[in-house]
Amino acid sequence: MKIRKYTRIGCGLMKIAIIGSAGSGKSTLARRIGEKLKLPVFHMDTLFWKPGWEAVSTEELTENHDQILKNPSWVIDGNYHKVWGKRMEAADLIIFLDLPRATCLYRAIKRFFQYRKKTRPDMTVGCEEKLDWEFIRYIWKYPKTKRYYAIQVIELYKNRKSTIILHNKEEIDNFLAHLSYK
């Protein structure tokens, strides 16, 4: 697969979707892009989860998601396949964080200890950080069960939109270091 490398973001490029495995760094990257480009950042986890880890209905998720898409600019991190079609269509840039599963698992475990008994900044208030076997299995199986969908998104949009795949911390740091307006 041909991977495009972008070092500058044009002024018209204001809607950025970030996808990837849990623990890949989607929220951190979204926050860093938002700070650098002065764009509003939205986390799909805050749209999907109510306090106490109660999932919202598909209708509520779709409604909230569609409201965000109406904004003139945004950075949205997260997957949630039920609603990502509209997000990918609206995005100017799609970033897929394709990090090794061991890295993602390590980061999820590290995040658990960092935010244990607290709610992390990119999560709904009232959803204390948790780590269970179901989540660990989800991360471990992501390359075989979910990665395919992210690759499909990149393939589908690569000729119509700016797309980029980042594989490790060095590529992410390099992308951010060269990220600027033309």
Side-chain angles (χ1 to χ4, degrees):
M1 170 187 313
K2 183 179 177 186
I3 300 170
R4 298 179 188 186
K5 297 289 182 186
Y6 294 94
T7 57
R8 294 195 178 274
I9 301 296
C11 290
L13 202 55
M14 296 297 209
K15 295 180 179 179
I16 303 171
I18 304 171
I19 57 176
S21 174
S24 63
K26 298 181 300 294
S27 297
T28 301
L29 179 60
R31 201 167 35 255
R32 291 176 73 188
I33 291 171
E35 289 168 1
K36 191 158 190 178
L37 300 181
K38 307 293 186 249
L39 299 175
V41 176
F42 301 94
H43 307 287
M44 288 301 300
D45 281 341
T46 62
L47 298 180
F48 186 77
W49 297 109
K50 293 180 183 179
W53 293 99
E54 181 185 342
V56 300
S57 67
T58 300
E59 294 77 23
E60 185 177 346
L61 177 64
T62 302
E63 183 180 316
N64 293 336
H65 179 263
D66 291 353
Q67 285 299 318
I68 290 172
L69 295 183
K70 291 178 183 177
N71 288 307
S73 62
W74 41 255
V75 179
I76 302 174
D77 77 85
N79 298 309
Y80 297 94
H81 301 104
K82 291 180 182 180
V83 295
W84 78 352
K86 291 180 186 178
R87 185 172 354 125
M88 299 309 147
E89 280 297 324
D92 301 306
L93 171 63
I94 301 168
I95 301 172
F96 172 36
L97 295 182
D98 191 21
L99 277 68
R101 64 179 159 193
T103 301
C104 296
L105 188 57
Y106 168 78
R107 288 179 172 184
I109 293 168
K110 180 180 169 187
R111 181 175 69 195
F112 171 72
F113 287 106
Q114 180 180 358
Y115 292 104
R116 192 172 183 188
K117 297 185 181 181
K118 294 186 267 184
T119 301
R120 68 179 190 263
D122 53 2
M123 183 53 74
T124 301
V125 174
C127 292
E128 290 184 358
E129 191 63 23
K130 66 178 185 172
L131 184 67
D132 56 23
W133 286 112
E134 182 181 351
F135 189 56
I136 290 169
R137 277 193 301 274
Y138 175 84
I139 294 170
W140 195 254
K141 290 182 177 184
Y142 180 89
K144 291 187 179 190
T145 61
K146 303 290 184 190
R147 181 180 180 271
Y148 170 79
Y149 298 110
I151 294 295
Q152 279 186 316
V153 165
I154 297 298
E155 285 295 316
L156 179 64
Y157 291 105
K158 71 180 181 183
N159 294 320
R160 296 188 292 143
K161 298 183 178 283
S162 296
T163 59
I164 188 165
I165 301 174
L166 300 171
H167 299 95
N168 55 51
K169 183 182 182 320
E170 291 74 29
E171 288 183 6
I172 293 167
D173 289 344
N174 187 47
F175 171 77
L176 286 166
H178 294 91
L179 185 64
S180 64
Y181 289 117
K182 285 185 177 176

